[in-house]
Amino acid sequence: MNAHTVLANLGARNYSAPRVIEMGAKDRWTPTLWASKKPFGIGEQRPNNYLEIGRALWENRGRLPYAWRILSKGVCDGCALGTSGLRDWTIDGTHLCNIRLRLLRLNTMPALEPSQLANVEALSQRSGAELRRLGRLPFPMIRRTGEPGFRRITWDEALDTIADQIRATQPTRTAYYLTSRGICNEGYYAAQKAVRAMGTNSIDNAARVCHSPSTVALKSALGVAATTCSYSDWMHADLIVFIGSNVANNQPVAMKYLYYAKKAGTRIAVVNPYREPGMERYWVPSNVESALFGTRIADRFFLVKIGSDIGFLNGVLKHLVERDQVDRDFIERHTTGYDEVTAELRTQTWDDLEEVSGCARDEMDALSKMIAESRKAIFVWSMGITQHDCGEDNVRAIVNLALTQGFVGREGCGLMPIRGHSGVQGGAEMGAYSTAFPGGLPINAQNARQLSQLWGFEVPATRGLTGPEMVDAAHAGKLDALFSVGGNFLDVLPEPEHVREALSRVPLRVHLDIVLSSQMLVDPKEAVLLLPAATRYETEGGVTETSTERRVIFSPEIPGPRIAEARPEWQVFTELAKRVRPELAKELELDGTAAIRAEIARAIPYYEGIQRLEKAGDQFQYGGPHLCSGWKFPTEDGKAHFSAVRLPRRHIPNHSFVMTTRRGKQFNSMVQEETDALTGASREAIFISASDAERLGIRAGQPVLVRNSRGQMRGRAFICEIKPGNLEAHWPESAALLDRGRRSPTAGIPDYNAVVQLEKVEDSH
Ligand code: SF4
């Protein structure tokens, strides 16, 4: 189909009219967008990014040249926005944020003093940040049951110990979990190949607990399982809708993109239970105008009840349908399931929708009008949408809205499940996933056969354990070996005490990481091994990561100091598999990261081109700027699929609240600061509305107790603009209130929300 045919097929709307962006408007100051007339937002609650630079300089003062080389040549190991050095492919100018600066020290710090691990009891009182600050893991260490701490062993001893245990048990009694802490595509690929050679598909990664529902819902609706557009589309959209997503906190440079989008005339709507201050206004430090006067970001906030997004989104859809403000031509030519959706919507009364969402139909109408007035729009969502027991349906409700207007497959339009970890997009696509093979292929006999032919050994054809299921199996005594790379189940999953018990029941636990974490200190049932990992910047031959916008980016090896015995993940897994299956030594041989990239290109056709990435700056965007371009959907029938989405029903007993978990100043579960400069809230803050606080006689800062049948959390009331009847608390501190049994039906993501009671506690001071 050529461009003319595509345009001819676009139907009644004039989609081909280009967005008029006045020349020079990008650089001209726009006082109407300023957040404050006070220079540098003096007196406003906001991060001081210049202080962050000073802090990074101080922390890395012993290794500044190396730190600079990492920043200027490496690909950021923070979120999944993606960089090459200090540049990106969306805007000119410097790309740097405080997340990256805070992570820098993990890459430059020297090794810890091993004698500090000789007594675990003394370490167990320390916080995660204190454990990380001890330094890099220097060499393999072991702690056997009854021993007070860890002692040094050789790599040979470590790998033989692990291989002996794996050989002595059934593959189904082993599990492997890789988080995305800086892990590269090559590491994920080699690990999953090795694990499958060892006879199991029980390998999972952090993509499970972030966007697995997005993958499921997008794949069935559009035939693709990734963001359909590029960040640069933000500057071409008439409207961007953020749903359960706080990019100000999690992808800070995205705020610079939004600054330029606002200058170009893009409107921004935010659907969230809390009026996130960072999404309301932001000071972009690297832009003079925004650094001085800030930028108003959101044009409109829609405060919804926690877990009620479907009620709100279906209400918006119902308005569009009832007014017939949908693109009928696109729907008829390129989609299926619209009639089922409208039939389902007819069964959902306005009273139902208002009750479920907590929003008046007028508010739903306001967003429906913003959508109807837009020729191009992008929907961006994060964990506020996915981490629910209805996560897949939440995503389907978003996709439905986009499909009513053909907001996919063309410039300025798209569906973007934005990622918060530099490795999650690639981790799942490389096949480090218990429910999919490399390339996202379903685990079945036919796909297993094809992989067996490629790799030269038999690949198991049944799905493995997801991350949360690994903990279930460990608790039930069904695991003999658990191998974790990075991450910390204790911090990440619901009910930490249950997780602790589960870990203590596994005879052999292995932790391959760069620094110490609390899960390593859980007493061994038989043995716990620590293995020192190399960072992406230390990996010979360089590595790649895949960003949210599907850009595969090469990060070169950065010359500098090394931790003598640290090894890259790919080497460790390959070597282990060879010891477990010596007869497969030839099939498992991987001669460096370039060879792995060549094999990835053979195993995953859409990664064609990765084998040619070899120096800083090399990259490509698989699928091009827009997936489903020309409205060609890679589904079986070639069409996009609407889904009838029912309203979720959750009984909230009287005098109870719905609580969700949130991030503060942290990178995933790594807490970096006691107070979040974006909100002003401390780690113990319980976000509560003014009306609820007044009703309960609670003052700002007053101690409160939040509890339910699972656990409790002591905190302090933080009165803010949150939907009444709802609370927010920082994660992982609030993880004890979550119910480990609540997971989404297909993806198995845990529900990071809970029904709780709140009571005030008298201040003892
Ligand atoms: S926004 Fe994300 S990719 Fe960019 S510098 Fe910050 S952490 Fe790194």
Side-chain angles (χ1 to χ4, degrees), residues 436-459:
F437 283 137
L441 292 178
I443 292 184
N444 57 35
Q446 186 191 342
N447 290 333
R449 242 189 333 272
Q450 276 177 7
L451 269 182
S452 303
Q453 278 168 10
L454 176 74
W455 288 338
F457 54 78
E458 192 182 336
V459 172

Side-chain angles (χ1 to χ4, degrees), residues 223-412:
V224 299
T227 286
T228 67
C229 58
S230 306
Y231 309 127
S232 56
D233 285 299
W234 290 13
M235 272 65 94
H236 297 278
D238 297 319
L239 174 69
I240 306 176
V241 186
F242 287 92
I243 314 171
S245 181
N246 181 7
V247 291
N249 184 309
N250 304 319
Q251 294 91 1
V253 175
M255 303 312 286
K256 194 169 177 182
Y257 301 168
L258 289 180
Y259 164 81
Y260 286 114
K262 295 286 292 186
K263 302 280 273 189
T266 303
R267 288 200 291 174
I268 292 168
V270 181
V271 181
N272 205 50
Y274 168 51
R275 196 177 178 100
E276 295 286 351
M279 295 300 289
E280 186 157 34
R281 76 279 186 283
Y282 198 86
W283 283 258
V284 178
S286 56
N287 176 277
V288 177
E289 180 190 19
S290 186
L292 269 174
F293 299 113
T295 307
R296 286 191 298 104
I297 303 295
D299 291 277
R300 179 94 193 230
F301 266 93
F302 298 96
L303 295 191
V304 294
K305 286 187 195 170
I306 291 163
S308 73
D309 304 85
I310 292 171
F312 182 77
L313 298 169
N314 277 7
V316 175
L317 184 61
K318 192 173 169 89
H319 277 299
L320 290 167
V321 168
E322 287 187 350
R323 281 201 302 266
D324 200 24
Q325 286 178 315
V326 298
D327 187 335
R328 286 207 157 272
D329 193 64
F330 168 78
I331 291 170
E332 274 161 30
R333 285 170 183 261
H334 299 288
T335 72
T336 64
Y338 181 69
D339 292 341
E340 288 80 357
V341 168
T342 54
E344 173 61 34
L345 285 179
R346 280 194 293 275
T347 71
Q348 299 176 10
T349 67
W350 286 111
D351 285 347
D352 290 338
L353 295 164
E354 288 187 337
E355 190 203 321
V356 169
S357 68
C359 292
R361 59 189 284 185
D362 286 354
E363 284 184 89
M364 303 171 198
D365 196 26
L367 182 57
S368 80
K369 284 183 174 138
M370 289 175 91
I371 290 172
E373 287 159 9
S374 303
R375 291 172 307 118
K376 303 174 179 185
I378 297 170
F379 294 83
V380 183
W381 68 92
S382 302
M383 286 22 344
I385 278 293
T386 57
Q387 289 181 333
H388 293 270
D389 60 357
C390 55
E392 295 91 343
D393 273 354
N394 283 346
V395 178
R396 289 184 186 112
I398 296 172
V399 174
N400 282 347
L401 266 184
L403 289 183
T404 60
Q405 316 295 320
F407 285 154
V408 65
R410 56 192 173 93
E411 187 186 65

Side-chain angles (χ1 to χ4, degrees), residues 76-83 95-100 103 250-254 667:
C76 174
D77 55 349
C79 85
L81 226 50
T83 71
H95 180 135
L96 180 64
C97 80
N98 55 41
I99 292 178
R100 190 176 186 190
L103 291 175
N250 304 319
Q251 294 91 1
V253 175
F667 178 64

Side-chain angles (χ1 to χ4, degrees), residues 30 45 54 94 116 163 281 310 316 383 464 520 579 596 617 734:
T30 320
Q45 182 65 52
T94 305
Q116 289 178 293
R281 76 279 186 283
I310 292 171
V316 175
M383 286 22 344
M520 300 172 183
R579 288 175 196 234
I596 300 174
S734 53

